[in-house]
Amino acid sequence: MKKLITTIIGGMLVTAGMAQLNGTYNIPGSYPDLASAIADLNSQGVSGPVTFSIAAGYTETAPTGGYTITATGTSANTIQFIASGGATITAYTGGTGTPSSATTQDFVFRLIGSDYITFNGLTILENPSNSGNALMEAGFAFLKASATDGCQYNTIQNCFIKLSYKN
């Protein structure tokens, strides 16, 4: 019986640790970086409106492959990434796609079937180490999750995106 009780209590602790996100989270603070916040968002989902408040002057280099968001909000439970006073995200080093390659485009943010997400106040810059095919093709990419699940009701406002191009 003692083993059964321990197992039940242990199961409750695991469940409590995986609660869906709801409320305001600070970066840094609640999360050390944007990548960690997005990982939690994707794995836990949302149970109410979620705001990721990114500190003024915050800088981060996107992880290799960029940030991928698969979580989705609703009209009542929106997801917002708000940079107060400016935050700069630099593209990762060494993209591999080309503008004419539909399957291997490089991006800083990629939303896959995600809805009701707002990005406000971010600056997205090309990595100065990138050149040729390593250049980013997109600051934000909105992609379908399936033939019937595309991205809808997403907003990009007050963002500055400066990527290089090859001609």
Side-chain angles (χ1 to χ4, degrees), residues 34 38 67 69 89 107-111 119 122 124 139-141:
L34 191 56
I38 290 172
Y67 305 99
I69 300 175
I89 307 300
F107 54 85
V108 178
F109 287 92
R110 171 174 64 172
L111 282 69
F119 294 90
L122 289 174
I124 299 174
F140 292 94

Side-chain angles (χ1 to χ4, degrees), residues 20-25 41 45-52 73-80 116:
Q20 291 183 310
L21 301 181
N22 183 357
T24 300
Y25 301 90
L41 176 65
V46 300
S47 63
V50 173
T51 299
F52 294 103
T74 66
S75 60
N77 297 331
T78 59
I79 301 166
Q80 298 184 76
Y116 295 98

Side-chain angles (χ1 to χ4, degrees), residues 62-140:
T64 300
Y67 305 99
T68 298
I69 300 175
T70 56
T72 192
T74 66
S75 60
N77 297 331
T78 59
I79 301 166
Q80 298 184 76
F81 293 88
I82 299 175
S84 306
T88 301
I89 307 300
T90 302
Y92 59 93
T93 303
T96 59
T98 62
S100 61
S101 170
T103 58
T104 59
Q105 297 278 317
D106 300 311
F107 54 85
V108 178
F109 287 92
R110 171 174 64 172
L111 282 69
I112 303 176
S114 299
D115 304 329
Y116 295 98
I117 297 180
T118 296
F119 294 90
N120 189 345
L122 289 174
T123 295
I124 299 174
L125 300 176
E126 180 69 69
N127 191 310
S129 299
N130 288 345
S131 64
N133 287 344
L135 296 170
M136 294 296 112
E137 280 78 48
F140 292 94

Side-chain angles (χ1 to χ4, degrees), residues 137-151:
E137 280 78 48
F140 292 94
F142 295 92
L143 307 171
K144 62 184 178 183
S146 70
T148 59
D149 183 14
C151 295

